[in-house]
Amino acid sequence: MKELLENVLQMNQMEREHYMSSQGQHLLEQMVEWIGIPDDELRDKLNYRLFIELLSTQLITRQQMNDMTEKLASNDYLYSSIGDKDTDSVFLRSYSALWLSNLINVDAQLHFLTEQQATTIIRECTSYLSKEQDTRGFLDEKGWALAITNGADLLTSIVSHPSYELNLTPKILEGIKDSLWKGTVYTADEEEKFTAIIEKLINKDVPEALLIEWIEQVFDKLEFYLITNGYTPQYFSARTNTLHFMKNLYFILKFTHKMDELKGVVSIFIGKWLKS
C-alpha cells in the first residue's frame, strides 16, 4: 500500500487523472480501508495527504464522495469502538472525523449528497464529540491521534453546512461541555477548535439567550462538582479547560464585535473563577 500511495503522489496531474479514471475506485476503496492504520507515515503523510490532493483537484467523483461520506459516518468508522480509551481504534474514529469534515465542507459547495442524506449524516455526527473518550495527542511512532480536535473540526463543518438544523444546537453545545470534562488538560489547541464551533453557531444566528444559558450551565457544572467532590484532579483539569476555552471565546467575541451581552457574561464568569 505504501508503494502505491507514493507512486500516485509522485504522478503529475495528467498521469493522476488517467490513473483515477481507470483505477480510482479501487484506490479509494483501499484508502478508506487504511484510513485508521496506526502508522503515522501511511495514515497521515501518505494516505490523508493523497486524499486531500485528490479532493482539492476534483479527481474524486461525486458518487465516490457520496459513498465515502456515507461509509465514514457509520458505526464501522466514525463510531467504531466508541468509548474506548488508549486503544488504536482511536485512529479509525479520528481520521474518519477528519476526512468527513473535508467531505462535508465540499458538499456545502457541490451538493453531492442529497438533501435527505446530508440531513441524516449531520444528525448522526452531532453526538461524536460527546461520545469520544480518547483525548490523546501525539503517540510516539503512531503519530497524532487528536480525536477531540478532529471531532471539533467535524462539528464546525456540520454547523457551517446549509442543511444544519438549529434544533441540533443543544446537542452540539453538550458535546463541547462534555469535552471539558474528559479528565485531560488539552495541549493541542482544542479550546480554539471549540471556539470555532461557537463562531459558526453565531454566524447561523443562534439566539444569544441560548448561548448565555449554556455558558451559565458550563460554570454551574463546575461549581456543583466542586461543592460535591472538592478539589480533585478531575476538577482542576475541567477548570483549566473551561477557563482556557472561555478566554479564547471572550477575545473572539471582542474582536468580531458580536453578541456583546454574551461577551459580558463570559467576562464576569472568567473574573469570578480566576479569583476562586
Side-chain angles (χ1 to χ4, degrees):
M1 185 63 179
K2 178 181 178 182
E3 183 177 357
L4 173 60
L5 295 172
E6 288 174 335
N7 288 340
V8 179
L9 281 166
Q10 290 168 4
M11 292 177 183
N12 61 39
Q13 182 66 11
M14 187 175 297
E15 291 171 335
R16 198 177 289 173
E17 287 178 5
H18 177 72
Y19 181 86
M20 290 302 294
S21 66
S22 61
Q23 301 185 59
Q25 181 63 32
H26 180 63
L27 172 65
L28 292 172
E29 288 173 358
Q30 288 184 287
M31 289 174 68
V32 169
E33 185 177 337
W34 284 65
I35 191 172
I37 187 170
D39 180 306
D40 181 43
E41 184 178 12
L42 276 174
R43 183 189 65 256
D44 209 337
K45 296 181 176 65
L46 296 175
N47 203 31
Y48 178 64
R49 178 188 163 196
L50 179 57
F51 166 68
I52 291 299
E53 290 195 16
L54 295 175
L55 197 63
S56 62
T57 54
Q58 300 181 349
L59 290 181
I60 306 178
T61 69
R62 296 170 68 91
Q63 187 59 54
Q64 287 167 340
M65 288 189 289
N66 184 300
D67 295 343
M68 193 180 296
T69 304
E70 289 253 313
K71 189 167 190 176
L72 293 179
S74 71
N75 290 335
D76 293 331
Y77 283 83
L78 184 64
Y79 289 104
S80 177
S81 301
I82 194 72
D84 278 9
K85 292 183 179 181
D86 303 328
T87 70
D88 287 344
S89 67
V90 67
F91 294 107
L92 179 57
R93 297 190 302 275
S94 179
Y95 277 76
S96 293
L98 182 59
W99 285 41
L100 275 169
S101 65
N102 286 281
L103 287 163
I104 289 172
N105 285 336
V106 172
D107 183 66
Q109 304 298 320
L110 300 183
H111 306 292
F112 58 79
L113 296 170
T114 67
E115 186 173 342
Q116 181 59 52
Q117 281 179 311
T119 300
T120 300
I121 287 170
I122 285 171
R123 289 174 181 171
E124 289 173 348
C125 291
T126 52
S127 299
Y128 175 72
L129 206 54
S130 285
K131 293 181 177 180
E132 181 58 68
Q133 299 301 316
D134 198 317
T135 60
R136 291 175 296 168
F138 191 77
L139 306 178
D140 299 324
E141 300 86 4
K142 296 178 181 180
W144 292 101
L146 295 180
I148 300 299
T149 298
N150 292 337
D153 282 341
L154 174 58
L155 293 195
T156 300
S157 300
I158 283 171
V159 173
S160 303
H161 195 280
S163 295
Y164 177 74
E165 302 165 302
L166 288 180
N167 61 9
L168 296 173
T169 300
K171 189 175 288 187
I172 296 284
L173 294 174
E174 190 69 17
I176 298 174
K177 184 170 69 173
D178 289 344
S179 296
L180 302 174
W181 285 86
K182 295 187 187 289
T184 299
V185 173
Y186 294 117
T187 59
D189 298 328
E190 285 87 349
E191 297 91 345
E192 293 182 16
K193 300 288 188 177
F194 301 151
T195 304
I197 301 171
I198 303 297
E199 281 190 88
K200 296 301 182 182
L201 288 171
I202 292 171
N203 292 339
K204 288 279 185 172
D205 295 325
V206 168
E208 187 172 16
L210 175 62
L211 294 175
I212 289 173
E213 181 182 5
W214 177 72
I215 294 293
E216 293 170 344
Q217 290 172 356
V218 170
F219 282 104
D220 283 347
K221 180 174 182 178
L222 199 60
E223 186 167 10
F224 181 77
Y225 183 93
L226 178 59
I227 293 171
T228 306
N229 300 283
Y231 294 97
T232 67
Q234 174 82 346
Y235 163 77
F236 280 112
S237 65
R239 179 183 183 276
T240 298
N241 289 335
T242 299
L243 287 174
H244 285 175
F245 164 63
M246 292 297 174
K247 290 176 188 177
N248 200 286
L249 177 58
Y250 172 79
F251 282 107
I252 290 296
L253 293 170
K254 181 178 181 179
F255 292 135
T256 57
H257 305 290
K258 294 181 178 179
M259 294 196 172
D260 286 339
E261 187 177 353
L262 176 63
K263 181 183 69 176
V265 171
V266 171
S267 177
I268 290 170
F269 276 114
I270 290 174
K272 173 185 174 181
W273 282 89
L274 283 177
K275 295 175 184 177
S276 64

